[in-house]
Amino acid sequence: MSDVPASAARSTWNASDWHDALVVEAYAETPTARTIRMRLPASAALPQLPELVAGQHIDVRLTAPDGYTAVRSYSLASAAPGGVLETTVEELDDGEVSPYLVRGLDVGDRLEIRGPIGGWFVWREEEPAPVQLIAGGSGVVPLMAMIRAHEAAAHPAPFRLLYSVRSPEMAYYRAELEELARVSPRFDLDWVYTRRAPSGWPHAPGRLDVTGLAASVQTLGTSALTFVCGATPFVEFVADALVRAGRDPARIRTERYGGADGA
Amino acid sequence: MGLFSPGFMGRRREPVPGLPPGQHLVTDFPVLSIGPTPRVSTEEWRFSITSESGLMTTWTWDEFQALPQEDVTVDIHCVTSWSKFGTGWRGVSLDTLLEGVDTGAGFAMARSYGGYTTNVPLDELRGGKAWVAHQFDGAPLAPEHGGPARLLVPSLYFWKSAKWVRSIELSTRNDPGFWEQNGYHMHGDPWREERYW
Ligand SMILES: Cc1cc2nc3c(=O)[nH]c(=O)nc-3n(C[C@H](O)[C@H](O)[C@H](O)COP(=O)(O)OP(=O)(O)OC[C@H]3O[C@@H](n4cnc5c(N)ncnc54)[C@H](O)[C@@H]3O)c2cc1C
């Protein structure tokens, strides 16, 4: 089409093309998830990775020896400059791609990636509003990029993360999140444990409910911009409950990762 | 052909006829939306088409249901790389809805309850290629999949099939809709992999 937005002309990088990325680091984030860091080959001849915006994702393509390919989307956990692409992948038992990324892939392997993609489920420094983040499981990945960007910018708007996990050891980035909640005057953290809570935790484990959600989001009030990310049923429940509680749908942004939706 | 992923075998061995490049088949029905699911009752529901000269035709739910209904079975392709074969829908063809509309426009902007927009060339809406659908698999379309009614344009990536559609505006200009302003392709043909720009 003729009317391609001007920003596309900034570099010769094309978000639709596949680019080789080298796996430079991979470590267990939880018993079932792995953090993977990739880097694009540094070469003046290759197009440069565009600036990342916190909340974006990439597509990853795997190719079998017979040429069969599989593509899945993965959010970036950091938008920091420097050319590193970081994500965390949760292994699904019957999954095609995630078991390979969590257990098969090695440092030094290459992956094909496409992107970065997304201009809506993103947080930019220009955003003055308080931000309420709500994550279920691996849905914390793009929200972590926002938290890190917010902290790196020493941004004055308050951020609050409500993070629902099955049990304490399933939480991604726990040490970093808890440290930040301790030292930063602009970041607060609420946990929800759905199957098993840490010992001494004041609430019995259970799914996030309307009361718990309301209690957490009331702190920042109705002016907050809300980002919700996780498996589809989780996002449906949270976004629906917020709208029923009178929140403006236009202030709620969602990213649905997939999973059973009953339809 | 790109590089190989050592040790990756993949699940499906047979090439699948009818699957566009870079897509994989799913049996469930993933949900992608930009925000909360709008809840629109059929009493308050309206659908309208506005021509480039500003003439508007509006249907209430009952008027829309009284139009000739078609049952179609189509394959759908999402830009996030899943495809679903043989999905069954019931709805009204855009040919029927456009019958009384006098237009020389080349482009359409679909607008939804909830604020979503997407641009589609008018050619892709005509000739038995597009519907406003209100049933999926023989049951009323669920809100998270776009109910009461959504646009169904199976020839393009599924973000063009606007959920919760409330109006179509015809225009001589091809203005970008919501995803089209956010990095996605103006046209979106899955067979040409028109995903992102
Ligand atoms: C924009 C976007 C960003 C994403 N970012 C991340 C990320 O940062 N980290 C991450 O781990 N995943 C992320 N995902 C999900 C990811 O793309 C894959 O869907 C996931 O890794 C499963 O792929 P698979 O091939 O292993 O499973 P598949 O073989 O595709 O599916 C196996 C089974 O699991 C179900 N399933 C698929 N996805 C989920 C899910 N999320 N929860 C529960 N069940 C599911 C399927 O319905 C199917 O029954 C993201 C998805 C999207 C759309």
Side-chain angles (χ1 to χ4, degrees), chain A residues 1 3-5 7-8 14-16 20 57 59 61-68 70-73 94-96 100 109-112 114 117-120 232 236 239-240 243-244 249 252-254 256 259 261 263, chain B residues 1-13 22 24 28-37 39 79-81 107 136-137 142 144-145 174-176 178-182 184-187 193 195-197:
Chain A
M1 289 283 114
D3 25 11
V4 171
S7 61
N14 184 335
S16 286
D20 283 8
H57 69 272
D59 287 348
R61 174 162 78 174
L62 303 180
T63 304
D66 64 353
Y68 170 84
V71 178
R72 297 292 185 280
S73 301
D94 56 344
E96 179 174 33
Y100 177 82
D109 284 351
R110 288 185 301 161
L111 286 172
E112 285 180 301
R114 174 170 72 189
I117 301 148
W120 169 252
T232 301
E236 277 296 314
D240 234 36
V243 173
R244 278 170 208 272
I252 304 169
R253 301 185 185 189
T254 60
R256 292 163 172 86
D261 63 7
Chain B
M1 174 66 56
L3 52 88
F4 295 123
S5 316
F8 175 69
M9 299 313 287
R11 187 186 289 145
R12 301 159 192 98
R13 309 310 322 155
H24 70 279
D28 58 351
F29 192 167
V31 177
L32 282 147
S33 315
I34 60 171
T37 296
R39 311 278 153 173
V79 69
T80 63
S81 88
F107 305 97
F136 175 73
D137 261 354
E144 63 267 33
H145 289 305
N174 190 15
D175 292 326
F178 179 82
W179 284 123
E180 294 81 6
Q181 290 169 42
N182 281 288
Y184 288 73
H185 201 277
M186 290 292 277
H187 184 227
E193 280 212 70
R195 295 174 194 271
Y196 319 115
W197 45 258

Side-chain angles (χ1 to χ4, degrees), chain A residues 72-75 88-90 92 95-98 257 259, chain B residues 11 28:
Chain A
R72 297 292 185 280
S73 301
Y74 293 95
S75 301
T88 303
V89 179
E90 184 74 28
L92 299 184
E96 179 174 33
V97 168
S98 60
Y257 273 6
Chain B
R11 187 186 289 145
D28 58 351

Side-chain angles (χ1 to χ4, degrees), chain B residues 40-92:
Chain B
V40 186
S41 71
T42 53
E43 290 78 50
E44 59 184 314
W45 184 89
R46 295 287 183 280
F47 176 72
S48 66
I49 298 182
T50 307
S51 73
E52 69 275 26
S53 57
L55 279 178
M56 184 160 92
T57 315
T58 303
W59 291 267
T60 64
W61 187 254
D62 291 341
E63 289 162 350
F64 172 72
Q65 293 294 328
L67 294 171
Q69 303 287 321
E70 294 182 13
D71 290 297
V72 291
T73 301
V74 296
D75 301 341
I76 55 179
H77 311 291
C78 178
V79 69
T80 63
S81 88
W82 57 265
S83 292
K84 189 173 169 64
F85 281 180
T87 58
W89 305 83
R90 185 176 179 81
V92 177

